[in-house]
Amino acid sequence: LFELDTENQYIAYYNHQRQSGRYRDHPNVREVVLSGFGKLLWDQIVVPVAARRDRLDVVFHHKFSIPVISPCPTVVQQRGAEYWMHREFYVGLAGRLDQLYNRLMIPLYCRRAARVLTNSNQLGEELVRYVGVPRSKLRTIYAAADESFQPIDDAATLARVRTRYGLPGSPFLLMVVKGHQVKAQGSGTALTPRKNVALALEAYSRLYRRVGRSGQPPVPPLVVLGPGIAERLGPGALPPDIPASAVHTPGFVDFHDMPAVYSMARALVFPSRYESFGIPIVEAMACGCPVVTSTTSACPEVAGGAAILVDPDDVEGLLMAMERLSFDDSLVARMRQLGFRRASAFSWAESARALLSELQRAAGAGQP
């Protein structure tokens, strides 16, 4: 956005000094640190006071909240409606309070905003149904894979990444899980129900047992990325049919190493119960990694016919998809090409142009 728009001036508000400096080389961006306040005070008091002082034409917040009382029009980006659709994601007192807060405040934010942005058409429909946002107020602006996400075939790079994270030497099935979703759960809850890890492990266990009896080549190893996963999948946590040597949990993987990880994977297994977009789908496709994902939420919209779709409750269906991608080379080759074409349909440049038009539209609504 900052590179695209040479006409308007931007102020980036940060709540900590460590965030400042990212856009120091952009002459149309001034970075301002407003530190020392909690999130609620920062959103609702500090930012609107600064916006009045700086005489802003529009305030944009890229996640959930905006100032309820603002001196200028506001634009908000919503990222999910799971607070209404999946109460089971929120466990313990903290989880229930988080759900309650968002169910109360997201409708208010959407009412107060001049424009409400979503990252999928499916999320827009959910906001209409559960939050009551008028369709005329909504606009979908898709995410995209970073330009660094492309097939990596340099042997030295692949070897470095494989060694750094202890990845298998052969192609593997890959799961990508957000670490904060693991750490926020109590020890007695299912492992990241949003990402459906428990069902994927059950499907992999059955596949491992079935292939072992049939005499086929061995099942590819399973790699589950994400901070906190290793602790939750320790000794005794795996289904009994999966040997510990078959499942790898590297923990956190640096963003810049992810293209190499996708390039080494046989397929991405992404059977989420809920995604408002699902950026790993696009990242994997851009790197030539076939995808199996869910029939629910925004996954089919993002996959666009270039992935195998499975009901997130269907263990046998996921097993069959994993089996096909593990052993059918012609299917993998065909899905690689479909994935490349689908990933190319998403563009940060196009999204930036759409965002600029929405900011200008909202700012114009506040002018005489």
Side-chain angles (χ1 to χ4, degrees):
L1 174 64
F2 298 155
E3 294 168 357
L4 170 76
D5 182 13
T6 58
E7 178 181 351
N8 297 292
Q9 294 294 310
Y10 293 87
I11 298 178
Y13 291 143
Y14 303 131
N15 61 11
H16 198 282
Q17 184 63 45
R18 66 174 176 269
Q19 298 168 313
S20 184
R22 180 170 184 173
Y23 302 109
R24 64 168 61 93
D25 296 329
H26 291 73
N28 58 340
V29 181
R30 178 161 64 92
E31 298 178 304
V32 176
V33 178
L34 308 170
S35 60
F37 302 91
K39 184 181 187 311
L40 185 61
L41 287 176
W42 196 85
D43 281 350
Q44 302 305 325
I45 296 178
V46 177
V47 167
V49 167
R52 181 177 297 278
R53 178 197 66 206
D54 294 326
R55 303 178 65 188
L56 300 189
D57 296 300
V58 62
V59 167
F60 169 56
H61 197 323
H62 58 85
K63 192 170 185 181
F64 290 114
S65 63
I66 52 169
V68 174
I69 300 176
S70 173
C72 61
T74 55
V75 178
V76 66
Q77 170 96 45
Q78 291 299 330
R79 297 297 181 94
E82 65 269 32
Y83 310 104
W84 288 266
M85 302 172 63
H86 291 282
R87 295 185 180 185
E88 71 276 12
F89 292 169
Y90 301 92
V91 297
L93 179 60
R96 289 192 291 270
L97 288 175
D98 181 46
Q99 182 195 31
L100 176 62
Y101 173 84
N102 284 288
R103 285 173 65 109
L104 289 174
M105 297 305 294
I106 286 177
L108 177 59
Y109 296 145
C110 290
R111 283 197 301 269
R112 299 294 295 177
R115 301 293 294 164
V116 177
L117 309 183
T118 68
N119 49 14
S120 66
N121 294 329
Q122 176 63 34
L123 175 56
E125 291 302 312
E126 292 163 1
L127 292 174
V128 171
R129 184 181 314 127
Y130 295 103
V131 185
V133 181
R135 283 188 174 86
S136 60
K137 206 179 207 181
L138 290 165
R139 177 151 183 194
T140 295
I141 298 181
Y142 286 122
D146 185 81
E147 61 185 11
S148 65
F149 283 79
Q150 52 187 290
I152 304 296
D153 53 16
D154 178 68
T157 300
L158 296 176
R160 176 187 62 79
V161 173
R162 182 181 291 113
T163 300
R164 179 179 181 183
Y165 300 105
L167 298 174
S170 58
F172 46 83
L173 301 175
L174 175 67
M175 295 193 74
V176 177
V177 181
K178 290 182 179 179
H180 72 84
Q181 293 173 353
V182 179
K183 294 180 179 179
Q185 296 178 208
S187 59
T189 59
L191 178 61
T192 54
R194 182 195 307 262
K195 299 298 183 181
N196 218 6
V197 176
L199 183 131
L201 288 173
E202 176 61 27
Y204 185 75
S205 172
R206 295 186 189 184
L207 175 61
Y208 208 92
R209 182 170 63 245
R210 178 183 299 181
V211 171
R213 292 173 178 171
S214 68
Q216 287 181 262
V219 177
L222 177 66
V223 172
V224 187
L225 301 185
I229 294 292
E231 293 80 359
R232 297 297 296 274
L233 292 183
L238 292 173
D241 294 305
I242 307 179
S245 60
V247 178
H248 300 253
T249 53
F252 174 78
V253 171
D254 189 275
F255 178 79
H256 300 291
D257 289 331
M258 284 302 299
V261 175
Y262 283 126
S263 298
M264 287 186 280
R266 178 80 177 184
L268 173 69
V269 180
F270 199 70
S272 301
R273 294 190 176 277
Y274 184 84
E275 296 287 344
S276 64
F277 184 80
I279 191 68
I281 296 173
V282 182
E283 291 176 342
M285 289 180 174
C287 295
C289 177
V291 175
V292 52
T293 190
S294 296
T295 56
T296 59
S297 59
C299 295
E301 178 182 342
V302 174
I308 297 177
L309 300 182
V310 177
D311 187 296
D313 291 315
D314 185 359
V315 177
E316 191 66 21
L318 182 58
L319 182 160
M320 293 175 64
M322 293 166 73
E323 184 174 28
R324 293 176 64 196
L325 289 170
S326 294
F327 302 113
D328 190 337
D329 292 339
S330 62
L331 173 64
V332 167
R334 186 164 67 252
M335 292 194 65
R336 280 174 56 89
Q337 297 307 312
L338 290 172
F340 285 140
R341 287 197 291 272
R342 181 56 180 166
S344 68
F346 299 96
S347 163
W348 279 124
E350 290 299 320
S351 296
R353 279 188 278 271
L355 174 58
L356 177 58
S357 72
E358 289 299 314
L359 296 178
Q360 292 174 324
R361 178 177 180 176
Q367 300 301 313

